[in-house]
Amino acid sequence: MHSEPRSGSLAAWGNGLLAGLVSPDDAVLAIVGDDAVHRVEGLPGETAPVGLTLALGRLRALGVTGLRVALPAPGHPLGLSGPPEFNARALEAEEAVICHGAALGLVPEVYEAGPAGDVHVEVTWHVLPVREAPPADVPSLGEAERELAEALRDATEVLSRLDVAGSGPVAEAAISAYRARAERGRELLAPGYPPRAVRVLELAQRVGFLVSLAHENGHGGAVSSGEMRARGEALRPVERTARRAQVAAYNAYVEELERGVR
């Protein structure tokens, strides 16, 4: 089911730390979440992987003043600016963090470790050089909010037409789980983000959730392979809009930096 990207948590709480609005311990706790541990590899000046606390402090010393998010997909390099090597790694991971103030980016690699029944997740963030250029296809918060309102109507229409909302107890349980997450949604952005970014992220989550619900539980009336392909084609632009809005929300902190608001 739909979940938030690790790059979003790293950027949001990393920005809160860079702004001096959250402590290093609170930032790392929020970034790691339910994972076992996060390490950072390839950091300038370090010969071995280091923990998040040291890494974020080192990035600040290197001149980093903010963190952006990229959520690329095949044919859509959302949030990326190159070079090709970095873009390829980010596309494989489907996410990345881009530093503002230093030509560096971080791409997560996720590992599962431990015996069956006691598996835990470890994440290594690989630091790589990036091109200092405007990120691809990232809307402003205002644009994202307007696009999302239309996307939500489109997603609801597609779900209704395919009878996804009536796809049984699995869908009902998923909707209940989403509502529980939505109640905690404001924790996803650290202190220092504008209220509009919180609204946009929450709405993007809702649209993204509806799209994932359609893909995972939405057989409903779409019984043929042709109808299932049609469902995917109908939802693809909605999913694209939700990803664009997520990136806009996470990047709102840096957007304000560039406008001189901070």
Side-chain angles (χ1 to χ4, degrees):
M1 196 54 63
H2 179 69
S3 60
E4 290 309 301
R6 289 179 173 86
S7 56
S9 297
L10 176 58
W13 291 90
N15 284 332
L17 176 61
L18 290 170
L21 298 174
V22 297
S23 70
D25 288 345
D26 288 344
V28 170
L29 187 64
I31 294 166
V32 173
D34 293 331
D35 297 335
V37 64
H38 284 216
R39 300 182 182 89
V40 180
E41 185 176 85
L43 195 65
E46 298 293 336
T47 58
V50 301
L52 275 176
T53 302
L54 191 155
L56 289 168
R58 178 60 56 82
L59 288 174
R60 175 158 40 193
L62 290 169
V64 174
T65 55
L67 300 170
R68 296 183 187 270
V69 169
L71 298 178
H76 188 205
L78 175 62
L80 297 176
S81 58
E85 294 80 4
F86 181 81
N87 287 3
R89 291 285 292 269
L91 181 58
E92 183 179 1
E94 299 183 340
E95 60 177 309
V97 171
I98 315 294
C99 296
H100 181 266
L104 298 171
L106 299 90
V107 179
E109 187 172 3
V110 181
Y111 306 89
E112 290 188 350
D118 189 27
V119 174
H120 61 275
V121 174
E122 300 180 1
V123 179
T124 297
W125 293 90
H126 297 278
V127 180
L128 301 164
V130 298
R131 181 180 299 141
E132 293 184 291
D137 198 37
V138 178
S140 68
L141 273 177
E143 291 169 334
E145 197 166 29
R146 290 190 295 272
E147 291 174 2
L148 276 173
E150 183 176 345
L152 183 58
R153 289 194 298 270
D154 291 345
T156 303
E157 179 184 343
V158 172
L159 292 172
S160 299
R161 188 170 70 245
L162 298 174
D163 195 27
V164 172
S167 56
V170 173
E172 292 176 7
I175 291 170
S176 296
Y178 166 76
R179 286 171 177 160
R181 285 201 307 273
E183 291 176 358
R184 303 192 302 270
R186 292 183 180 274
E187 299 171 3
L188 294 173
L189 288 179
Y193 273 82
R196 192 175 203 177
V198 177
R199 292 200 310 271
V200 167
L201 182 57
E202 289 175 341
L203 187 53
Q205 288 176 329
R206 184 179 177 190
V207 173
F209 169 78
L210 291 173
V211 170
S212 67
L213 178 62
H215 283 307
E216 296 177 24
N217 301 308
H219 293 286
V223 294
S224 73
S225 59
E227 286 170 326
M228 293 180 71
R229 280 197 301 273
R231 178 184 65 198
E233 291 173 2
L235 289 171
R236 194 169 296 116
V238 178
E239 186 273 340
R240 183 185 181 108
T241 297
R243 283 191 300 110
R244 276 167 45 86
Q246 278 189 291
V247 172
Y250 287 123
N251 292 1
Y253 177 88
V254 173
E255 184 181 318
E256 289 193 340
L257 274 180
E258 293 179 334
R259 296 204 321 265
V261 175
R262 296 182 179 278

